[in-house]
Amino acid sequence: MMQTVSRLIRNFIPVHYDLSLTIERVNRTFSGVVTFTGSSLQDATITVHAKDLKIETVTIDGHTASFSQGDDDELTLTRSELVRGEHIVVIGFSGTITDQMHGLYPCYFDHDGATKELLATQFESHHAREVFPCIDEPEAKATFDVTLSTETNITVLGNMPVKRQREEDDVLVTQFETSPRMSSYLLAFVCGEMHKKTATTKRGVEVNVWATMAQPPESLDFALDFAVKTTDYYEEYFGVEYPLPKCDHVALPDFTSGAMENWGLITYREIALLADPATATVDSKHYVAMVVGHELSHQWFGNLVTMKWWDNLWLNESFANFIENIPIHSMHPDWGIWMDYASTWSLMALRRDAIEGVQPVQTTVNHPDEIGSLFDGAIVYGKGGRLIGMLRQYVGEDDFKAGLQQYFEKFQYQNTSGDDLWDCLETVSKKPVREFMNKWVLRPGYPVVHVGENYLEQEQFFIGEHAPSDVLWPIPLAATNDALPSVLEEKRIDVVIDKSTRLNIGNWSHFITHYSDDHFEHLLNTIQTTDPLDRLQLLNERVLLTRSGHVSNSSLVPMLKQSGDESNESVWGILNLALGELRKFVEFDDEHRAHLKRLALLLSDTQFARLGWDGRDGESENDTKLRPSMIALQLYGENESVVRESRRRYQDAGDVESLDPELRGVILTGHVKAGIDDTQFNELLAMHKSSASATVQEDIIGALTGSEDTEQLKKLLSLITNKSVVRPQDASHWYIYLVRNRLSKTLAWDWLRNNWDWVEATYGGDKSYDDFARYTAGALSTQQQLDEYVEFFTPLKREPGLVRVIELGISEITARVALVESQKQDVLATLAKL
Ligand code: BES
Ligand code: ZN
């Protein structure tokens, strides 16, 4: 563990910053002067954060002060006459612009035959200090006046509207309005050649969506419309007006995560904001809506009211992960967003949270560098979001909303911790919210409830080896049977249970149910006609129970065989997953793999026959999304005519961008599966390079990495570190697809070990650093691979950002190897009898 850093706000409380920055893009440098006021709680010294900055001059109250740079990015300013109280500090400094994608960094794009650049910032969690000296802690809220001097003929955006702009000797000076009281991690600016579309909310807040000139103007419309409506929606839901006069949403060509909620200047990866009607799919639009909804919710929850310290970062993210769905569901009930939520985030949470050693939602953070190590999305977003959803059910929608409104009203422009939110919800609902929630957020894991004929019993649910556990949770049962308690607190209760009883209706509580085989069969046969969410949940729970060894994997075979009539796309997500569970048993064996392929065909024949290749006018989004999944299964099953048809459609289209977007991915996959020569391979790579659409690029990568030609797979691996082909933001995707492909698994795993220095240099310190260790663990399944994983990663546990992901990775592979060992005969025999 890292040592605790001192909190600088305990010695100096900033009130206002005046920041002037001159940016020399071409020289990759910047220089600036920051003037700040505030009160010092000690004599003689003031300490602020500064990282990789050259400090040139320091004055305090007009007198020159001396300074020294120490550990933990601390810059200490000294003047012996200084006494506690109000002071004005002025610091002159300079720094350099690097490609690291935090602090101030360039984004690259091609337009009009030239490579161009935007400059953007990414300050969360603690990168503001790389651009100017400040008290870089969330609790150190202050107002900001920002002035930027840049090159001319570009757009310059900040958190606030422009107050004044003038050109002086080829320099553009942009001065922004004063910001409200805010944390340094939410400050941002973006400069460069961009275009925009504008609209206003009901109350007149200006909303803009921006992108580089390489993106078509139509690609901004979808996000703009959704952003305006969602801003209106949240104003009503949260009971507090959007706090700033404008909100910009900017798509950046290089971006380390998905998006960032900078106040009034939200930044995104292109794929998370842009939806060109010519190339976007239904899914890609839903994704944009989700990300916009997420970042907009932070404008209140996170920005207006902010956590005191990083140990409550989960609260920001869990909350946003849950809330983002509410406006979407209200505007588009037909999207089935809660089904998506159940089949993505909830599912990830249930899988991850079952491994011994997983972190609790709320984890101590001594140093912001540790944030990378605790950023397990399945837990911080998935489980945390699920717990907020469980809480809403526990207190009821009305009290949930009223409690939130009270929280915003009471704490606006201030800082809080989780307990402040629980207390507001407790006051409103008169239920013991704090006690209830802390039992879930402070402890790792979750329970399985075993349902017998005359009892219910809870037990911690584990996948893989674990020490005994006697932890008990207060479980909201949400049962169909009124004889059962609303919250199960005991280990076991005796009660008679009939076979129609189901638990966790709506899937809001964070537990799974283990029905007896009879009971499960009965439910599976009777719920075909009811809510698809019930089927999704039941099947997902069954798959989890195979992972833990409670039921045999071979039981998935009949379950799949009888599911061909299923027509709901999200439920198909789980069926696909169940099929995926079986793949590990047949990976290195052609004969048995052929049986699994046959199962894939059997499973998808009915729906493929119903849907065919071409969409019908006015068909449901469900069917539009389901069609490519069925084609993908037919391709996996090697249906020759489907492979041929993919090739034909690809050749007819002539180029990737004119393919039907919904089918683009599978057509490319089929085309590659049909076998491509070097010319065709290079043609796809060239289209990847020339396309401005990140969605198109993703489809090309997905298809290419499914190649069955070893030389081509090697070539793809060798390109990962080549920045002119693969943006560093996308490199982990290439790797993940390649390590999942049976034919490139070993090659990719070797590649990772040989290129670890590059991984470390490129992502070290970033929260995506652990992706490589995480996804590798998801793909390996033999004893030899396990031994290699242990050997390679154990020494890397010295890095705080990797410890947990490595330990969990080892547990995960160990569990998989043991499962394959013990159940292989049974599974293979069942598959052979199809
Ligand atoms: N605030 C986060 C991004 C972040 C977190 C940056 C911690 C640095 C440190 C942002 O709101 C977020 O959650 N982004 C997600 C996308 C979201 C829609 C799931 C991301 O980047 O993955
Ligand atoms: Zn977030």
Side-chain angles (χ1 to χ4, degrees):
M1 265 290 134
M2 255 183 235
Q3 68 183 75
T4 308
V5 292
S6 36
R7 307 277 177 86
L8 301 187
I9 190 162
R10 291 183 185 150
N11 291 321
F12 186 86
I13 303 170
V15 174
H16 178 76
Y17 290 84
D18 206 318
L19 170 66
S20 284
L21 264 194
T22 301
I23 302 173
E24 306 270 357
R25 179 182 63 84
V26 178
N27 300 337
R28 288 286 187 266
T29 59
F30 60 87
S31 59
V33 177
V34 63
T35 303
F36 58 91
T37 54
S39 54
S40 179
L41 307 180
Q42 64 182 13
D43 299 334
T45 64
I46 293 174
T47 302
V48 299
H49 291 112
K51 187 176 184 203
D52 301 332
L53 294 178
K54 182 163 183 285
I55 305 302
E56 323 244 335
T57 56
V58 179
T59 67
I60 301 179
D61 305 324
H63 305 281
T64 304
S66 60
F67 58 89
S68 64
Q69 285 178 282
D71 291 342
D72 297 320
D73 314 331
E74 288 179 9
L75 167 67
T76 300
L77 319 175
T78 309
R79 188 173 130 75
S80 50
E81 298 85 348
L82 192 75
V83 291
R84 60 200 68 193
E86 306 285 312
H87 296 286
I88 300 183
V89 181
V90 182
I91 305 177
F93 59 92
S94 60
T96 54
I97 300 171
T98 63
D99 282 342
Q100 292 278 312
M101 294 196 272
H102 51 72
L104 172 61
Y105 72 94
C107 306
Y108 303 91
F109 65 102
D110 293 326
H111 182 237
D112 276 351
T115 297
K116 298 186 174 174
E117 295 171 10
L118 300 181
L119 289 179
T121 56
Q122 169 60 42
F123 287 176
E124 191 178 13
S125 50
H126 56 308
H127 305 295
R129 64 188 68 174
E130 293 162 20
V131 177
F132 68 103
C134 57
I135 311 277
D136 197 11
E137 293 168 4
E139 205 178 345
K141 286 195 175 185
T143 51
F144 289 85
D145 276 322
V146 177
T147 304
L148 299 177
S149 299
T150 60
E151 59 204 309
T152 54
N153 297 320
I154 58 167
T155 302
V156 183
L157 301 173
N159 300 85
M160 296 297 290
V162 173
K163 182 177 180 183
R164 215 171 292 139
Q165 200 168 39
R166 59 179 198 278
E167 252 185 70
E168 273 170 22
D169 308 329
D170 275 347
V171 176
L172 181 66
V173 182
T174 309
Q175 188 184 355
F176 298 99
E177 302 275 359
T178 308
S179 79
R181 225 178 148 251
M182 63 185 283
S183 307
S184 54
Y185 82 90
L186 294 167
L187 216 65
F189 45 87
V190 178
C191 359
E193 272 181 66
M194 292 177 280
H195 61 142
K196 68 158 173 178
K197 290 221 177 161
T198 303
T200 48
T201 68
K202 283 186 193 149
R203 224 172 31 78
V205 176
E206 181 186 312
V207 178
N208 303 300
V209 175
W210 297 86
T212 69
M213 311 309 274
Q215 301 296 336
E218 312 80 72
S219 65
L220 311 174
D221 294 330
F222 181 81
L224 181 64
D225 177 58
F226 187 77
V228 168
K229 289 180 179 150
T230 305
T231 308
D232 282 331
Y233 188 91
Y234 284 142
E235 288 200 340
E236 193 280 320
Y237 195 88
F238 296 148
V240 174
E241 290 182 351
Y242 173 76
L244 307 180
K246 64 92 179 170
C247 189
D248 289 305
H249 301 254
V250 190
L252 298 175
D254 289 292
F255 197 79
T256 165
S257 43
M260 175 65 212
E261 71 267 26
N262 314 300
W263 216 0
L265 180 55
I266 309 177
T267 46
Y268 300 78
R269 217 175 242 250
E270 289 182 336
I271 203 166
L273 186 68
L274 306 177
D276 181 351
T279 54
T281 60
V282 169
D283 256 340
S284 66
K285 284 188 243 170
H286 291 191
Y287 179 64
V288 168
M290 184 197 97
V291 184
V292 171
H294 179 103
E295 304 309 335
L296 273 175
S297 78
H298 279 316
Q299 306 300 303
W300 284 260
F301 205 100
N303 300 7
L304 182 63
V305 183
T306 312
M307 68 253 152
K308 280 202 174 75
W309 181 246
W310 296 111
D311 55 358
N312 271 285
L313 175 62
W314 70 271
L315 188 60
N316 264 6
E317 299 307 343
S318 303
F319 181 86
N321 176 272
F322 173 74
I323 284 290
E324 67 198 31
N325 301 291
I326 291 182
I328 298 182
H329 185 67
S330 145
M331 288 182 248
H332 300 283
D334 54 310
W335 286 8
I337 192 75
W338 289 116
M339 285 288 282
D340 281 354
Y341 191 71
S343 66
T344 53
W345 288 110
S346 294
L347 186 132
M348 273 163 63
L350 289 167
R351 293 181 153 212
R352 194 76 175 165
D353 202 23
I355 303 175
E356 165 134 275
V358 70
Q359 66 177 89
V361 168
Q362 178 166 326
T363 306
T364 315
V365 185
N366 296 313
H367 189 293
D369 278 348
E370 291 172 2
I371 286 172
S373 69
L374 63 81
F375 231 83
D376 189 334
I379 300 302
V380 176
Y381 291 74
K383 178 181 182 181
R386 199 164 149 80
L387 296 184
I388 301 283
M390 182 166 79
L391 172 62
R392 183 179 69 152
Q393 291 305 109
Y394 179 71
V395 299
E397 168 68 9
D398 291 346
D399 284 351
F400 182 70
K401 204 168 148 178
L404 282 178
Q405 295 193 351
Q406 188 186 94
Y407 176 77
F408 289 122
E409 186 60 45
K410 188 164 168 194
F411 295 108
Q412 51 188 323
Y413 302 105
Q414 297 178 50
N415 294 82
T416 57
S417 64
D419 283 340
D420 294 314
L421 177 63
W422 308 153
D423 291 350
C424 288
L425 287 156
E426 183 153 330
T427 313
V428 169
S429 70
K430 303 192 178 56
K431 287 191 170 157
V433 172
R434 191 198 265 237
E435 192 195 333
F436 173 75
M437 283 307 277
N438 283 336
K439 284 198 173 134
W440 288 96
V441 299
L442 298 176
R443 304 195 301 207
Y446 66 92
V448 50
V449 175
H450 302 287
V451 179
E453 274 175 34
N454 45 27
Y455 69 90
L456 282 187
E457 182 172 327
Q458 66 160 301
E459 175 192 28
Q460 183 165 0
F461 180 71
F462 287 107
I463 294 173
E465 285 169 17
H466 60 90
S469 153
D470 53 12
V471 179
L472 297 178
W473 281 266
I475 310 173
L477 285 178
T480 48
N481 179 341
D482 290 342
L484 300 179
S486 61
V487 178
L488 176 69
E489 314 240 17
E490 300 84 353
K491 170 94 186 138
R492 182 184 165 112
I493 53 171
D494 294 319
V495 52
V496 177
I497 295 174
D498 65 70
K499 294 225 176 344
S500 64
T501 300
R502 280 188 297 125
L503 303 187
N504 206 3
I505 298 306
N507 196 30
W508 295 111
S509 297
H510 190 49
F511 76 95
I512 61 167
T513 310
H514 177 202
Y515 302 101
S516 65
D517 286 353
D518 276 5
H519 195 156
F520 174 76
E521 280 299 321
H522 177 80
L523 292 177
L524 195 63
N525 292 328
T526 53
I527 65 173
Q528 289 300 337
T529 51
T530 60
D531 192 341
L533 179 65
D534 297 340
R535 300 200 291 279
L536 187 155
Q537 180 184 22
L538 202 63
L539 295 173
N540 181 37
E541 291 183 344
R542 200 66 178 178
V543 174
L544 283 162
L545 291 164
T546 63
R547 282 203 162 192
S548 65
H550 282 93
V551 300
S552 166
N553 277 265
S554 62
S555 72
L556 295 177
V557 177
M559 181 183 104
L560 284 167
K561 238 176 110 179
Q562 73 186 77
S563 299
D565 289 335
E566 178 61 57
S567 61
N568 181 282
E569 193 263 338
S570 294
V571 179
W572 269 97
I574 308 294
L575 294 172
N576 259 318
L577 211 78
L579 203 68
E581 294 293 327
L582 297 174
R583 283 195 195 192
K584 59 182 172 278
F585 294 96
V586 300
E587 217 166 51
F588 298 100
D589 175 337
D590 289 340
E591 182 195 332
H592 291 104
R593 205 168 46 255
H595 295 144
L596 189 62
K597 291 185 173 204
R598 211 163 86 76
L599 178 60
L601 289 179
L602 278 176
L603 181 61
S604 56
D605 276 343
T606 311
Q607 298 303 319
F608 179 56
R610 177 173 77 83
L611 296 164
W613 274 91
D614 296 300
R616 296 174 191 114
D617 285 345
E619 76 178 357
S620 64
E621 286 194 348
N622 178 75
D623 284 354
T624 307
K625 292 202 289 180
L626 186 57
R627 181 173 296 106
S629 309
M630 295 307 99
I631 296 175
L633 284 173
Q634 293 284 318
L635 286 172
Y636 173 71
E638 288 174 6
N639 178 336
E640 276 307 319
S641 69
V642 176
V643 175
R644 270 199 309 277
E645 180 64 10
S646 311
R647 162 75 38 102
R648 189 187 72 74
R649 287 181 179 245
Y650 173 79
Q651 284 170 341
D652 279 2
D655 81 300
V656 176
E657 302 216 353
S658 50
L659 286 168
D660 172 356
E662 300 292 348
L663 298 183
R664 189 174 50 222
V666 285
I667 289 176
L668 290 172
T669 302
H671 167 60
V672 171
K673 203 176 177 69
I676 50 172
D677 60 23
D678 286 353
T679 316
Q680 291 165 315
F681 178 83
N682 289 328
E683 182 181 87
L684 283 171
L685 271 182
M687 291 187 205
H688 172 270
K689 193 168 171 57
S690 66
S691 176
S693 158
T695 318
V696 171
Q697 290 186 330
E698 276 284 324
D699 284 342
I700 297 175
I701 303 166
L704 278 175
T705 51
S707 165
E708 291 173 12
D709 178 323
T710 313
E711 288 312 307
Q712 288 171 0
L713 292 167
K714 280 188 189 154
K715 172 84 182 148
L716 293 172
L717 279 167
S718 75
L719 290 173
I720 293 182
T721 52
N722 182 341
K723 273 192 192 173
S724 71
V725 181
V726 185
R727 290 180 188 272
Q729 66 166 17
D730 298 327
S732 64
H733 300 185
W734 286 58
Y735 172 72
I736 293 159
Y737 295 144
L738 287 162
V739 79
R740 284 183 186 160
N741 179 344
R742 186 175 59 86
L743 296 168
S744 48
K745 183 159 299 184
T746 315
L747 290 170
W749 172 219
D750 287 344
W751 174 90
L752 183 68
R753 285 176 287 173
N754 292 329
N755 287 275
W756 188 262
D757 288 348
W758 174 84
V759 170
E760 190 178 342
T762 313
Y763 306 99
D766 190 83
K767 74 182 168 64
S768 63
Y769 183 33
D770 66 7
D771 282 354
F772 290 88
R774 181 192 309 273
Y775 292 110
T776 303
L780 304 182
S781 60
T782 66
Q783 183 63 44
Q784 187 193 333
Q785 288 165 345
L786 170 62
D787 295 342
E788 290 168 357
Y789 189 94
V790 172
E791 188 190 325
F792 180 72
F793 278 116
T794 302
L796 287 167
K797 281 167 65 175
R798 65 174 181 270
E799 300 196 33
L802 296 177
V803 183
R804 197 164 351 228
V805 76
I806 293 170
E807 283 171 359
L808 260 66
I810 294 172
S811 309
E812 196 186 332
I813 310 171
T814 308
R816 194 174 302 124
V817 170
L819 204 71
V820 171
E821 199 110 301
S822 67
Q823 300 192 4
K824 194 168 178 174
Q825 291 315 323
D826 185 22
V827 170
L828 296 185
T830 315
L831 275 173
K833 285 198 298 254
L834 261 181

